[in-house]
Amino acid sequence: MPTACIRTLGCPKNSVESELFAGIFSRAGWAVSDDPESSDLLLLNTCAFIAPAVEESLEAFYQAEEWRNRRVGRRLVLAGCLPGRFRDDGSGGLESVDLLLLPGEFSRLSGYLGTQGGPCGQLPLEGRILRYLRIADGCDNRCAYCTIPSIRGPFRPERRETILARAGEMVESGASEIGLVAQDSSMWRDGGTGLVQLADELAGTWESVWWRLYYIHPAHFPEELPGLFARRHNVMPWLDLPVQHSSGDLLRRMGRPYGREKLERILDLVDSAGLDIALRATVIAGYPGEGDADFDDLCEFLSGARALRSLVAFPYYDEEGTLEHSRAASRIPGDVTAYRLSVLGSIGDAAAAAWAARLGLGPLEVLAETSRTGHGRFDAPAVDGRCTFSRRVTPGKVYSCRVDEFTGLDMTVTPAPRGIDRAPRPSDASCQTRSKEDG
Ligand code: SF4
């Protein structure tokens, strides 16, 4: 049986695509391995939305070419955003591969392997406990700094039935947490059903699974979302908000149709939901035209955000092909951007310390990813705080824990003797509510 190895770069959305590719290999009678040396074909699924991602993908591509050239008969398939972004200009010699797949070209892979059809299910590649389910691909927003709409095309939501079927397969194969992902999840609709109704249905159908919603664009923030967090204990009270900035002038220039008022309203809704909700915010520092007053506005906004748990600050990347790149604008000097990033780092540290004080008060539910490590309700796996257990636990189970020590967002925790078999209801003692904290 021929064997394929799939290597994924970039975010969870790419992991989903890799698992869909794996499903196609399996249907075509291939084995899928994580060892390139024993494989006949290597599929490299790339990311290329900003310069560092392009560099990482090109580096991986050159290594993959070396892998292929070391043995006659090996085949290399290049997929994802790198060919999506550079397919036309020939840069990087991408055409030397055996097959080049643009984003979403599943049927071409099927044809190449001698079968037919599009994706036929996600084959888990990196364990079965944490899974990601893509509810849409592409983006109709036109942020002035972003390459993604030109790489991935217009917004295309998955059908509700497809999402439910894939969720069922994931639960069946042992998923303990499923993250819903898209470029802009808040835009998802199928007929009269929106994201909140979808998450409600998923969480109600599979109550023992933790559900986490990624990428909620502030302009399309569903106001019922905090209520869903309060109603469904197994929808994680974790808000992934790409804030990017708070200054109205900057947001207008970025092509993001909201202002500070909208952001404040979201925080008010979060604060009034009656439970702790963790905000994960991403922001851009050093955007062209960002004056001192704009930056002060951003710092003031973030410092006043009680929910802020995790702050991720990126420098502005000037990407070819974007509207911002075409503007003859004054760029922010690198040392100014570096200084602003350090200030944002301090705000992030203060937010983590405030949350440490809050989490130290009561039990925290932690999902075990391995026998020694996991993540809590208020942290997404891989990107936020990580928990280390003080004793061995069973991977895939949720434990009610006492937090012994904090290091930034990371924690050392002592689990109660037994895992929680079923997600408790919000009224259970292990649910961390505002009244508990205040009391
Ligand atoms: S919402 Fe904006 S930043 Fe996000 S993928 Fe779409 S265009 Fe890019």
Side-chain angles (χ1 to χ4, degrees):
M1 181 187 281
T3 303
C5 175
I6 300 178
R7 181 162 177 221
T8 310
L9 301 168
C11 65
K13 293 177 288 259
N14 262 17
S15 327
V16 173
E17 201 148 276
S18 288
E19 292 191 346
L20 292 169
F21 284 136
I24 291 174
F25 277 109
S26 180
R27 179 176 62 194
W30 286 59
V32 178
S33 158
D34 56 5
D35 174 25
E37 283 315 310
S38 59
S39 298
D40 308 289
L41 182 153
L42 176 64
L43 187 152
L44 184 63
N45 191 9
T46 57
C47 179
F49 78 115
I50 50 174
V54 172
E55 271 171 40
E56 191 191 1
S57 290
L58 282 175
E59 180 60 30
F61 168 59
Y62 299 138
Q63 284 174 7
E65 278 195 313
E66 278 175 30
W67 166 88
R68 182 186 57 180
N69 296 339
R70 279 203 300 275
R71 192 177 302 162
V72 176
R74 280 178 166 174
R75 290 189 268 171
L76 176 58
V77 177
L78 187 67
C81 291
L82 195 66
R85 187 163 176 193
F86 299 108
R87 59 185 178 262
D88 296 331
D89 66 4
S91 58
L94 304 184
E95 64 284 350
S96 68
V97 299
D98 296 284
L99 179 67
L100 204 64
L101 295 174
L102 301 182
E105 287 195 321
F106 297 103
S107 302
R108 281 195 64 229
L109 178 64
S110 297
Y112 181 72
L113 300 176
T115 59
Q116 284 187 339
C120 53
Q122 288 180 225
L123 207 68
L125 289 174
E126 290 174 19
R128 294 166 184 270
I129 293 173
L130 304 174
R131 303 293 300 278
Y132 297 96
L133 205 172
R134 191 169 68 183
I135 58 171
D137 194 15
C139 187
D140 286 344
N141 301 311
R142 288 292 177 268
C143 301
Y145 53 87
C146 184
T147 55
I148 289 173
S150 65
I151 297 173
R152 311 229 37 126
F155 185 77
R156 302 177 304 282
E158 294 283 1
R159 301 298 309 271
R160 176 182 150 277
E161 291 78 18
T162 307
I163 294 169
L164 287 168
R166 288 202 182 134
E169 287 165 15
M170 287 178 188
V171 177
E172 193 68 23
S173 73
S176 297
E177 174 168 331
I178 299 178
L180 303 187
V181 298
Q183 262 76 32
D184 177 358
S185 299
S186 38
M187 284 288 280
W188 183 87
R189 292 207 82 70
D190 185 356
T193 310
L195 177 68
V196 171
Q197 292 79 23
L198 175 71
D200 196 20
E201 184 173 6
L202 290 165
T205 307
W206 293 284
E207 288 189 317
S208 62
V209 173
W210 278 14
W211 299 89
R212 198 175 289 277
L213 313 184
Y214 287 74
Y215 314 114
I216 306 294
H217 193 303
H220 317 127
F221 177 80
E223 300 216 340
E224 321 92 287
L225 189 55
L228 179 70
F229 292 149
R231 197 168 69 251
R232 292 270 184 211
H233 188 71
N234 60 330
V235 179
M236 295 304 103
W238 175 87
L239 178 59
D240 183 18
L241 203 67
V243 168
Q244 313 307 31
H245 219 285
S246 63
S247 153
D249 287 346
L250 260 283
L251 287 167
R252 256 188 302 284
R253 183 176 181 132
M254 289 178 175
R256 293 181 67 87
Y258 54 91
R260 168 112 180 227
E261 209 173 281
K262 170 83 181 187
L263 294 171
E264 298 283 5
R265 168 146 180 87
I266 293 172
L267 292 187
D268 285 347
L269 287 166
V270 163
D271 285 345
S272 60
L275 76 165
D276 279 329
I277 296 172
L279 170 64
R280 178 177 210 267
T282 53
V283 294
I284 300 175
Y287 197 83
E290 185 189 50
D292 289 341
D294 298 308
F295 184 66
D296 289 346
D297 188 275
L298 178 61
C299 292
E300 187 202 32
F301 168 74
L302 293 169
S303 301
R306 180 189 177 280
L308 184 65
R309 166 153 175 78
S310 170
L311 177 60
V312 183
F314 294 98
Y316 167 71
Y317 291 104
D318 186 35
E319 295 297 331
E320 267 184 57
T322 63
L323 176 61
E324 194 58 65
H325 179 77
S326 68
R327 289 173 176 152
S330 56
R331 300 284 182 242
I332 303 297
D335 57 339
V336 174
T337 299
Y339 168 73
R340 290 177 178 171
L341 285 170
S342 74
V343 173
L344 292 167
S346 303
I347 293 173
D349 291 345
W355 266 90
R358 217 176 293 177
L359 293 176
L361 290 172
L364 171 70
E365 284 176 24
V366 178
L367 172 60
E369 297 169 36
T370 70
S371 61
R372 283 290 187 191
T373 59
H375 64 278
R377 295 169 60 72
F378 302 104
D379 293 303
V383 292
D384 292 334
R386 191 164 181 74
C387 292
T388 304
F389 292 104
S390 60
R391 65 169 175 82
R392 292 180 75 82
V393 293
T394 307
K397 276 201 161 221
V398 173
Y399 289 83
S400 179
C401 297
R402 182 189 72 222
V403 184
D404 300 320
E405 195 184 339
F406 295 91
T407 310
L409 292 175
D410 295 340
M411 294 165 255
T412 306
V413 298
T414 296
R418 290 189 44 184
I420 299 169
D421 291 328
R422 189 185 61 80
R425 303 180 67 76
S427 56
D428 288 0
S430 57
C431 176
Q432 190 153 20
T433 61
R434 176 72 45 73
S435 60
K436 184 172 187 62
E437 184 202 338
D438 292 343

